[in-house]
Amino acid sequence: MTRALLVTNPAAARTEARAVTAVRETLRGGGWDVEVLATLGPQDARRFAAEAPAQGFDVVVCYGGDGTAMQVAAGLVASGAEIPLGLVPGGTGNLLAGNLRLPRNPAAAARALLTARPHAIDLGVVERRDGPHYFAVASGAGFDARLMAETGAAAKQRWKFGAYVARAVASLGEVRSAPHRITVDGVAHEVGSAMLLVMNCREIIPPFVGLGKAIAPDDGWLDVVALRADNVMESAQAVFQALSGRANGRVWWGRGRTIRVEVLGGAPEPVQVDGEVLGETPFEARLLPGALKVLVDRG
């Protein structure tokens, strides 16, 4: 019998008691032995996951958003065990689940876990003063990080991902580029950028908006894209060009395993790691190949 630890985040935008019950009962109906733990603080999910292997669990299921999922992933990586992560989307963005084409309905996602198989994906890690922070989708600096920092919890709970969209539209007139030094595997490049992303997954709004053509969470690379824009029109042009996946006048691409980002001669910019705002630039993202096993459809 599969022993599963179900970690839930009551603060996530879509986490409700009825949905947690539906997930638990769906897994139990499939023959799994399920224990439920709810987070009360920011480090609880990481601690629960780190302790799970020693407690005899075969899988850790996360019902929450990308932030909770990365806390669980951090705990699993720290444990050194290779038990897999099962994802049940329950937050604001759910970008990792979207990139992996997992069902958005909690009960449907739980049913899919019953027949899923472990698949190893890469992670990125950013070291900060309080320790390592992991990302499975993207880290970044500039416009996107500022957007996440300025979108309030109440708006996210009410409007879900639409809260980010509304804030982005309201802020487009404030977009400005700054000179950056982007060092890719030891080679430095000076690039103007208003928004910079270090990407492990292709889609920033699954399944509708994806950047590049060959980015995949299991390809052994981090891809970095910098968009240069100084007003609304230039922002639209930069995004349109980035969708093509080619370098051009407003878009710069790089690929490597260690990416360092610094702002040259200007104010530091906010930094985000899978939606979690982590202070300001500079930052360095490092690839951890195949670091996390995720339960996905056998296809």
Side-chain angles (χ1 to χ4, degrees):
M1 176 181 291
T2 298
R3 287 197 68 215
L5 174 62
L6 172 58
V7 178
T8 72
N9 178 9
R14 296 194 296 117
T15 302
E16 300 176 354
R18 286 181 299 175
V20 173
T21 300
V23 172
R24 182 192 65 196
E25 295 308 310
T26 298
L27 295 176
R28 286 179 175 174
W32 288 18
D33 178 20
V34 182
E35 180 177 330
V36 181
L37 289 177
T39 62
L40 298 176
Q43 297 298 315
D44 284 352
R46 181 183 293 220
R47 176 169 56 84
F48 295 159
E51 295 171 352
Q55 294 174 353
F57 289 104
D58 303 304
V59 59
V60 178
V61 177
C62 171
Y63 178 42
D66 290 309
T68 309
M70 284 303 96
Q71 287 292 317
V72 172
L76 292 175
V77 171
S79 75
E82 295 191 355
I83 67 174
L85 168 64
L87 291 170
V88 177
T92 305
N94 304 306
L95 300 186
L96 178 56
N99 272 274
L100 297 176
R101 295 296 184 267
L102 303 180
R104 294 188 63 86
N105 176 269
R111 282 194 298 272
L113 293 179
L114 296 171
T115 57
R117 293 291 182 268
H119 180 75
I121 67 170
D122 306 329
L123 292 177
V125 60
V126 175
E127 296 283 350
R128 305 306 262 181
R129 289 182 179 180
D130 61 344
H133 292 260
Y134 299 87
F135 65 94
V137 180
S139 60
F143 180 77
D144 70 312
R146 189 172 297 107
L147 177 72
M148 292 170 184
E150 294 176 354
T151 303
K156 289 191 289 185
Q157 283 192 331
R158 182 174 183 182
W159 302 110
K160 314 300 188 288
F161 194 78
Y164 290 131
V165 175
R167 185 66 191 174
V169 172
S171 303
L172 280 176
E174 304 169 7
V175 172
R176 297 292 183 274
S177 294
H180 288 68
R181 178 183 293 117
I182 307 172
T183 305
V184 181
D185 291 343
V187 179
H189 309 265
E190 293 193 7
V191 179
S193 175
M195 184 177 80
L196 183 146
L197 293 172
V198 179
M199 305 180 66
N200 187 50
C201 289
R202 176 176 179 266
E203 294 174 350
I204 57 175
I205 306 179
F208 307 108
V209 180
L211 304 182
K213 299 294 184 183
I215 302 173
D218 57 359
D219 62 3
W221 295 99
L222 293 173
D223 290 81
V224 54
V225 55
L227 279 64
R228 181 175 61 83
D230 288 293
N231 54 50
V232 175
M233 182 62 70
E234 291 182 0
S235 297
Q237 292 173 347
V239 170
F240 181 78
Q241 292 173 5
L243 295 176
S244 72
R246 296 188 297 271
N248 47 57
R250 300 207 174 278
V251 181
W252 182 89
W253 288 93
R255 169 173 274 196
R257 295 183 172 89
T258 302
I259 313 291
R260 180 172 175 81
V261 177
E262 306 164 82
V263 178
L264 300 176
E269 295 181 338
V271 173
Q272 65 86 12
V273 174
D274 269 358
E276 179 188 9
V277 180
L278 298 176
E280 299 177 328
T281 51
F283 78 98
E284 182 174 287
R286 180 169 51 89
L287 181 75
L288 300 177
L292 179 67
K293 289 186 177 180
V294 182
L295 290 175
V296 297
D297 183 273
R298 280 182 284 185

